[in-house]
Amino acid sequence: MAAIQTDAANMPNHKKVTLSGTVNQQQEIVITGKAERVEIQFVGNDGVVIFNGGTDGAVITTETAYPIPKDSSFWYDLPRSKQSHSIWVASGTGSTVCHVIVYEG
């Protein structure tokens, strides 16, 4: 799998990804430094987000994963560092669709 880059030139920026058919396989999302807030939504199935220590393409093992109920928006205010950084998303059901929307102030 390859990390998905968000676009700093077009905010808000929406990325729609169908997660791997492998259960709990992490997908890396690189968040631009201009972003101040992220919205994450899993369609039809529950999912998780990992804020630190994820690995693109790896199956969740010891990472701390925060649950997000299906069809619900999860909002995350980003640290004020203004540097690009990553989050990782995964689902316990293979091939789940995930929406990630990044917003600028």
Side-chain angles (χ1 to χ4, degrees), residues 1-3 17 19-20 22-29 48-65 87-91:
M1 297 172 60
V17 61
L19 300 175
S20 169
T22 302
V23 173
N24 290 324
Q25 188 173 24
Q26 301 168 52
Q27 173 63 60
E28 182 176 5
I29 310 290
V48 296
V49 61
I50 298 165
F51 297 110
N52 295 303
T55 303
D56 187 56
V59 174
I60 296 171
T61 54
T62 61
E63 298 84 4
T64 301
I87 61 172
W88 297 264
V89 293
S91 178

Side-chain angles (χ1 to χ4, degrees), residues 2-14:
I4 295 172
Q5 303 282 331
T6 58
D7 184 1
N10 297 304
M11 298 284 248
N13 187 244
H14 174 240

